[in-house]
Amino acid sequence: MMSLPKRRRILLWGREEISCCSCQDLDSVHAHCPCDSCWGKAVSRATEYRHWKATREYLQLMGQGTEPVELTSNVEQDVEQETERQDVEQSAGLGRVVEQNNEERDGEAEQGVLDLEQAAEQLQDVEANGDEQLQETEELDHNGMKCKSYINVCMVILYITMHADDLLQRVKMDVTNAVLKAFQLAEEMDASQQNFMHILQYGKEQYCKGTTGARFEYLWPQSWQTAIKMLENQGYQDAEDYFICLSNSHPCSYGIFKCLKSTCRFCSSPSSLCIKYSYLPLKHKIRQWCSSASFCQKMTAHWREKDHWLNSTGEHSIKKELWDGSRFAELSWFWDPHSEWTLPVSCPLCKVITSAATVNEAASQQSSDHIQLTCSECHTRFDYEVCKATGDPRNIALIGHWDGWQPFSMTCKHSSGAIEVSIATMLKQDRSRSGEVYVCGFVPSHLLPNKRPNSLDPFLHPLIEEVKDLFINGISVYYAAEIMGIPPGNTLLRCLILLWTGDYPAQSEVGKFVCSGIRPCRRCTLEGERNPSASNYYYGNFRYHFRHAWPARELESSLPIMREVDEEDRPSVRANKSKQTGFTGVSILHQLNPLYGFNIIRDLVFDAMHNIPLNVASHHLHYYFNEGILSRQDVDKNLKKIPWTAELKSGRVPEGVTQRLGHWKAEDLQKFIFPASEYVLEGLLPNEHYLAWVTLVRITELVYNTGRNGFNKDDIEVLKRLTARHNILTEEIEGLKSCVVTLHNLIHLSEDIKHFGPPDNYWCYSFERAVKSYTRRSSNAKNLEHTFARAECRRQHLKFNCENEESTSHNTFIENTHFAHASSLAAAQKLSEANPGLREIAVGGKHYYALPEDEMAAAYRLLGKQPPAFVGNTGGYFVRSLYIPHHGYNGVLYRTNEHVYIDDISSGDTVVIKISNIFSFLIDEEAYHVFVSGFKCFQLDMHLQSGNPIVRETVEIVTCKGQEIMRKVMLYPNEDTSSFIVIDYERPMFLLLPQDVLVPQHPEPGDMVAVSGDNGETWLAHVQRTNSVSKWCQVYFYVPDRENNKLYHKECHRLENVDWNSVLYLTSGTWQGECQYLLYNSIG
C-alpha cells in the first residue's frame, strides 16, 4: 500500500478561464479542461462543465468552499507545511498517471454524480485501504445509460495527487541524473553539442517508452541551452569573462576589467578591442572540493602524517611527500590549530599587501591593536584593527602550473596555454592523476604580443587576487568530512600557493627570468660564455664550480634590480638590462610574498620530467647520432631484445630509433634511459661516452624509481654528486657546446628535494596528460579557449555532482575460508578495496585440480606446519595470474611465464624464477593459501655497471608462497645468448653511497689529495702546482709512518706529474709541523 503524503492542494478554476477552441486536437468545437484528470486535454464543453461541477461539489463537501484548499491525510496530522508548488501545471500534470478512458465527444449526455456522502465514505476507505478501493463504479445516468461516475474518478485523482509530489520529484531526479550522465558520457567521448543532444534524445526515448514516462516528456531539456540551465539549477557556475588590454601605448602596464561596457583605464580601448579571457574561479572549486566527504579525506592526507612536519625543523629522515620538505615545516602554523598568527592587510586603494611582520611592528610601536598603516606602494594612510587567525588542518595548499601548447598541430600558428592548480595536501599517488588537475584559465597565447615580459600577468591576475583574498579573508564552506574530531559543518578555510612548477621556459616566463644569455639561472649567478662563432651562450667549467659553487641569488638583494628593470619603459634599454641581470621584471607571484613569504627564486621548482629525459637525455642521443658515434640501426637491434613487462607496455615504450626518435615523448625517453639503455648501448658507445651516459642512468633510476619511495640524506648527497660528475664528464668529453643551461639545471634538483620532497611530487606528467583531454574536445575551432573553459567548468562540476553508480553494497567481503578470486584486474582492485587485509588475489579463469601428496607436503612445510596423514589427493585451483595489492603504487599483477624475484626460504636468499604455475588450496579448513612454482635461474656473475646478476635458466622447480614474491624483473639476452642479464627495474635500494660517487676534482695548490695509482693502490699527495689547460698537477707523494699509519711524511723531494682524472678526492686532516700530515680517515 502506498503511504499517503502529508498535504496536497486541489485548485478549482473559474468559468471565465474557459473558452471555446477550434484547434486540431479535436474535430469539433471544444474546451481544454484544466482538471487534475484531463490536464488541458481537449474535451467537449459538457464534459469540462461536468468536471468543474464535480470538483466544486467535492471541495464544498470538504468544507473548504470553492477556494484552493489543503487536504490533510488522516494518517499523518499536523506536520510541516510542504514547499509551495512551483506552478499549477506541474501539480495538475501528475494526475495523468491514472489511466483514463477516452472522453465523450460532442453530444454526450450529462452524467450523474454519486451522492457526496458516499464519496466521502469512499475517500476514507481509500485512505484506510489504499489501492484496493481504487476501482471504477458504474451508475445509471438520467437516460438510464451506464457511465463512469466522475466523482469516483475525482477520488482516484485525489488519491494520486496526494502522492504527486513524491512522484514528480522522482521523475525530476531521474531526468536530472540522465542529463548529468549524458554530460558525463559526452565528456568521456569528447562529443560535440550535437552528439550530446543525440545521447540525451536516446535516453529520453528509452525513459518515455511507457505510458507514465511519456506523460513527463515535457521535463526533458529540448536544447543545449536548457540542458545547461538544468546544470545551473544543480549548482553549476560558468567561467567568468575578463577583458585584457595589452596595447603598445602602455607597454609596462596592462588593463583588465570584467564589464563588457567598460574600457581600459590606460588607453580607453573598448572591450571589443581587448582579449577575452575566461577565468574559472578558485572559490567555486574549493566549495566543490569540500562538498565531498571522500575528497575531504584526500585533501587532509598531510594531517595524518603531521608528525613529519609539525613542530619540525624540516629534517625528516625520509622525504617522500611534499610535507616532508623543509618548506612545509616552515609553514606549519598555517595548519596547526594551536598556532595563532597575525593576518596581513590589503591596502584599500591599491590592494597592495602589507605583511604581518609590518602590522606587528606597527602595533608594537603604537601599543595598540587599532593602528595606522601606510601603504608602501601608494603611500595611503589608513586605519586598521589588527586581526588574528588560527591554523586549521583543513586549510588548502596548491601547486601552480603554467604551460603553453599547440591545440592543433606544431605547424599551426594558433597556440594556447593553461593556468592550472593541483592540491598539495593530497598524497602524491592521488595528486598524480590527470583528473586532479584543475584549470583556472586558458590563455590565447597567439594573441599575446611578442617579447613583452608582462603579457602573461593579466591572465594570472585573477588567480593571484583570489589567493590573496582567500588567505586574508578566507572562504565560508560546508566541510563534508570529520577531520581531527571536528564534525562536518560550516567553517572558514584559507588557501595559499605552496610552489609553482613548469618547464624551464614557462618558469622563466612566470618568474620574469631570462631563458638564456649571460645570466639565465634563477637560482644562482651563473655566467655564460659566448660562442665566438655564434650568438649562443654556454655554461661550462663544471669541475671548478663543483668546488667553488656559483653564489646563490637572494630575493632581498635581487628585488631592487627586478624593480629597476620592471620600471624601464624603453624596450632596447630594458632588453639590455635584462640580458645583464637575468631579470625581465618583477613577477606577479611576488605579490604573495608579503602574505606568507612566497619566494620566486626558491619556490619556482625545476621539473625533472622536462629536465632529465626531454632536455639532457635527448641532447645526448642527438649528439651521438649526429656525430656518428652511435648507429641507429644497432640501437634498434638491441632495443628489440628488451622483454618489456605488461606494466611497462601499458604506457609508451621506446621503439623505432631509426624512424621515430623525433616522436619520442618524456615517457619513451625515460624508459629508454632506465631500465633499457645501459644494456642496449653497452658495446655500442665508446667507453668514455658510456661512462658519462651510465651516470645519467643512475640519476634517472634514483629520481624515477628508488627515490619515489623516499629520499634520505645519503640519497640527496648521491644525487648531488651524480649530477656534478655527469656534467663534468659531459663537458670534457662532448665539449662546451653541450653545456647548455638545462644541463646546469640538473645541479639544482637536490635543492628542490630538500625544500619540497622528491621530484614526483611536482613534476609535470599529470599536467601534460591533462593537455590531451583539452585538445581532443570537439569544437568548431573558433573561440577555442572559451570552448575549453566551458568544457572544463562542466567537467569539474560533473566530477563532484554525478552520483557514483557503483554502490558499496556490491562489494564482496572475503572470509578466511573463502577463495580470494577475481575475474579481471579491475575486479581484483575493487575486491582489494573492499578487503584491505587481503595480501593476494587470484585473477583469471580458475581450474580445479587434484594436488599430489608430495606437493601438498611441500606446501605445508612452507607454512611451517606438519603435513597430516593424507587419504588420496586434495583438490585446489590453478589460475593464470596473481594480484598483490601492496606491491608497486597501485598493486601489481603477476602472470605465468613472467620472471620475478622471490624470497627463497630454503636457501635464505633471493632468487629469480620464471613462474610456471599459480595454485591455491584450503589448509586445515582454516584459510586458502596461494603458492607459486617456477623454474629457478642460476646466478653466474654480476653485471659490472648495473650491479644486477647474470643468470642462466634451469629446469629446477622452486615453490614458494604467493606473498614471498618480491617484484618483477626482465631478462635481457647476454652476448653468448645462453645467459641473461637481470634487469631489476624496481629494486628498492640504491646501490651507491656518497663516497662511491667519484666526482672529477679540481685540485689547487696546497691540497692534500688521494691519487689512484697504476696498480690500484691509493696514494696521498700534496699539490704544488696545477695546469687547468692540460689538466695536470705537480705533487709530492706522502707515505705513512711505520708506527702510526695515520701520520704521513714526504716520500721524497721530487715533484711528480699527476693527471687530474687520477685525483680521487680531497682528504681531511691537519699538519703536524711542516713535514708531517695527520690524516683523519684512512684512504684507499
Side-chain angles (χ1 to χ4, degrees), residues 52-225:
W52 173 83
K53 185 177 179 182
T55 303
R56 184 191 63 179
E57 291 176 348
Y58 183 77
L59 292 177
Q60 291 174 347
L61 169 68
M62 303 306 296
Q64 302 296 335
T66 57
E67 296 297 324
V69 298
E70 292 181 354
L71 301 180
T72 305
S73 169
N74 292 335
V75 180
E76 298 178 349
Q77 297 287 342
D78 299 326
V79 294
E80 295 182 0
Q81 183 77 15
E82 76 166 325
T83 306
E84 286 291 332
R85 299 297 299 150
Q86 295 181 0
D87 53 67
V88 178
E89 288 186 354
Q90 290 183 352
S91 173
L94 292 167
R96 302 207 299 172
V97 298
V98 181
E99 191 70 32
Q100 298 289 327
N101 292 333
N102 293 330
E103 295 291 346
E104 297 86 356
R105 303 296 181 184
D106 285 334
E108 283 182 313
E110 190 133 357
Q111 298 180 359
V113 178
L114 284 178
D115 184 78
L116 294 180
E117 294 180 0
Q118 180 183 354
E121 292 174 0
Q122 289 187 9
L123 175 59
Q124 294 176 359
D125 291 338
V126 167
E127 293 176 344
N129 302 318
D131 296 340
E132 297 178 1
Q133 297 296 324
L134 299 182
Q135 299 176 357
E136 296 179 355
T137 60
E138 295 181 346
E139 293 294 330
L140 293 176
D141 63 6
H142 63 282
N143 291 326
M145 298 177 62
K146 289 185 178 181
C147 66
K148 291 181 182 177
S149 171
Y150 179 71
I151 193 65
N152 260 18
V153 175
C154 192
M155 294 295 103
V156 174
I157 294 171
L158 173 64
Y159 178 78
I160 295 300
T161 51
M162 292 175 72
H163 297 78
D165 275 341
D166 293 338
L167 181 59
L168 177 63
Q169 293 305 318
R170 287 198 301 270
V171 174
K172 281 187 173 182
M173 185 61 67
D174 288 343
V175 174
T176 301
N177 289 337
V179 173
L180 291 175
K181 187 64 177 178
F183 273 114
Q184 194 175 22
L185 290 173
E187 178 69 24
E188 294 172 359
M189 298 164 55
D190 305 310
S192 63
Q193 294 182 11
Q194 185 178 9
N195 292 336
F196 165 79
M197 292 308 300
H198 290 165
I199 296 171
L200 194 62
Q201 181 64 26
Y202 176 78
K204 174 183 173 181
E205 291 172 358
Q206 296 301 311
Y207 187 85
C208 296
K209 276 186 175 180
T211 306
T212 302
R215 298 174 190 264
F216 297 101
E217 190 172 336
Y218 71 96
L219 292 175
W220 289 76
Q222 303 299 316
S223 65
W224 172 265
Q225 288 74 18

Side-chain angles (χ1 to χ4, degrees), residues 714-839:
D714 284 345
D715 293 333
I716 297 174
E717 183 61 26
V718 165
L719 180 61
K720 179 180 178 180
R721 296 177 67 86
L722 281 173
T723 53
R725 173 179 170 82
H726 171 266
N727 290 1
I728 293 170
L729 293 178
T730 299
E731 178 186 2
E732 297 181 359
I733 295 171
E734 299 182 12
L736 187 62
K737 287 187 178 181
S738 293
C739 299
V740 293
V741 66
T742 50
L743 184 70
H744 164 82
N745 290 343
L746 281 178
I747 68 175
H748 295 300
L749 291 179
S750 57
E751 300 171 6
D752 286 339
I753 295 172
K754 292 178 181 178
H755 293 146
F756 300 106
D760 61 335
N761 281 294
Y762 42 84
W763 62 24
C764 295
Y765 278 102
S766 57
F767 297 105
E768 294 289 340
R769 286 194 296 267
V771 173
K772 296 180 181 178
S773 65
Y774 310 149
T775 56
R776 66 171 178 245
R777 285 173 177 148
S778 178
S779 70
N780 60 0
K782 297 179 180 179
N783 297 322
L784 199 61
E785 291 74 23
H786 185 76
T787 301
F788 288 164
R790 266 52 183 177
E792 183 63 17
C793 279
R794 294 193 297 272
R795 183 196 73 83
Q796 294 178 16
H797 176 80
L798 294 172
K799 176 180 172 66
F800 294 95
N801 287 275
C802 282
E803 294 181 356
N804 187 2
E805 297 179 357
E806 299 176 1
S807 173
T808 55
S809 60
H810 296 133
N811 291 333
T812 304
F813 296 92
I814 301 296
E815 298 179 2
N816 289 338
T817 56
H818 290 174
F819 181 45
H821 174 265
S823 59
S824 65
L825 175 59
Q829 291 171 337
K830 293 179 182 178
L831 189 62
S832 173
E833 293 176 1
N835 303 269
L838 286 179
R839 297 182 62 85

Side-chain angles (χ1 to χ4, degrees), residues 264-427:
C264 173
R265 64 190 181 100
F266 296 105
C267 63
S268 301
S269 296
S271 60
S272 58
L273 300 179
C274 297
I275 301 172
K276 188 177 181 180
Y277 172 55
S278 297
Y279 173 70
L280 285 66
L282 191 59
K283 291 181 180 178
H284 183 54
K285 292 181 177 64
I286 293 175
R287 291 191 179 98
Q288 289 177 326
W289 297 340
C290 297
S291 66
S292 169
S294 60
F295 200 78
C296 290
Q297 294 292 341
K298 290 182 179 181
M299 288 196 299
T300 51
H302 68 293
W303 190 252
R304 291 191 288 275
E305 297 185 0
K306 60 180 178 294
D307 55 313
H308 293 195
W309 53 271
L310 190 61
N311 302 321
S312 169
T313 60
E315 297 299 326
H316 188 257
S317 58
I318 300 296
K319 297 184 184 298
K320 182 178 180 180
E321 298 287 347
L322 263 175
W323 43 85
D324 295 328
S326 60
R327 180 56 179 158
F328 208 93
E330 292 173 5
L331 295 172
S332 60
W333 47 266
F334 188 64
W335 294 278
D336 185 3
H338 303 294
S339 177
E340 185 180 67
W341 33 280
T342 302
L343 285 171
V345 59
S346 174
C347 173
L349 183 62
C350 67
K351 306 301 181 185
V352 169
I353 303 298
T354 300
S355 68
T358 304
V359 173
N360 288 334
E361 183 181 357
S364 176
Q365 292 176 353
Q366 301 177 30
S367 302
S368 173
D369 287 342
H370 297 272
I371 59 176
Q372 276 197 339
L373 293 173
T374 302
C375 176
S376 59
E377 184 70 19
C378 64
H379 304 289
T380 301
R381 290 184 62 84
F382 57 93
D383 294 329
Y384 176 67
E385 181 178 357
V386 178
C387 296
K388 302 282 186 177
T390 56
D392 193 319
R394 299 167 294 182
N395 284 342
I396 297 172
L398 301 176
I399 298 174
H401 174 261
W402 150 254
D403 192 20
W405 30 267
Q406 301 289 337
F408 300 115
S409 67
M410 297 301 293
T411 58
C412 181
K413 294 182 180 180
H414 188 117
S415 59
S416 300
I419 299 170
E420 301 150 319
V421 296
S422 62
I423 302 172
T425 53
M426 296 174 70
L427 289 170

Side-chain angles (χ1 to χ4, degrees), residues 870-986:
F870 297 106
V871 180
N873 295 337
T874 301
Y877 295 99
F878 273 117
V879 292
R880 65 172 183 263
S881 305
L882 181 66
Y883 176 71
I884 302 184
H886 61 277
H887 281 193
Y889 292 99
N890 295 304
V892 177
L893 186 68
Y894 296 92
R895 304 167 177 85
T896 53
N897 296 321
E898 290 184 332
H899 293 86
V900 297
Y901 259 125
I902 66 166
D903 187 7
D904 188 10
I905 298 178
S906 60
S907 64
D909 199 3
T910 58
V911 298
V912 177
I913 68 168
K914 181 180 180 181
I915 299 176
S916 58
N917 289 312
I918 302 172
F919 56 94
S920 177
F921 62 93
L922 184 65
I923 293 184
D924 294 344
E925 302 298 326
E926 294 178 357
Y928 270 92
H929 293 269
V930 180
F931 299 90
V932 173
S933 64
F935 300 104
K936 182 178 180 180
C937 294
F938 179 74
Q939 182 172 338
L940 301 173
D941 202 351
M942 295 293 292
H943 185 252
L944 182 60
Q945 294 297 337
S946 67
N948 287 327
I950 299 175
V951 300
R952 184 183 69 247
E953 291 183 322
T954 69
V955 294
E956 179 184 352
I957 295 180
V958 177
T959 301
C960 70
K961 293 184 289 186
Q963 57 189 335
E964 290 173 355
I965 295 178
M966 301 173 67
R967 57 188 179 275
K968 284 188 183 182
V969 296
M970 301 183 292
L971 297 192
Y972 180 79
N974 207 4
E975 293 178 356
D976 58 5
T977 68
S978 62
S979 61
F980 300 87
I981 304 173
V982 176
I983 304 179
D984 190 5
Y985 65 96
E986 289 185 331

Side-chain angles (χ1 to χ4, degrees), residues 1057-1075:
N1057 291 334
V1058 174
D1059 188 272
W1060 279 10
N1061 291 329
S1062 298
V1063 177
L1064 299 178
Y1065 53 87
L1066 302 180
T1067 63
S1068 57
T1070 58
W1071 288 97
Q1072 304 291 318
E1074 296 182 359
C1075 301

Side-chain angles (χ1 to χ4, degrees), residues 526 539-550 721 723-733 736 739 743-744 747 998-1004 1007 1009-1010 1026-1033 1058-1066:
L526 170 71
Y539 315 92
N541 208 2
F542 286 108
R543 197 186 277 258
Y544 174 81
H545 288 293
F546 174 70
R547 181 168 182 176
H548 305 284
W550 289 102
R721 296 177 67 86
T723 53
R725 173 179 170 82
H726 171 266
N727 290 1
I728 293 170
L729 293 178
T730 299
E731 178 186 2
E732 297 181 359
I733 295 171
L736 187 62
C739 299
L743 184 70
H744 164 82
I747 68 175
L998 297 179
V999 180
Q1001 296 294 316
H1002 184 277
E1004 296 177 351
D1007 290 341
V1009 297
T1026 63
N1027 188 323
S1028 59
V1029 177
S1030 302
K1031 290 185 171 55
W1032 58 263
C1033 58
V1058 174
D1059 188 272
W1060 279 10
N1061 291 329
S1062 298
V1063 177
L1064 299 178
Y1065 53 87
L1066 302 180

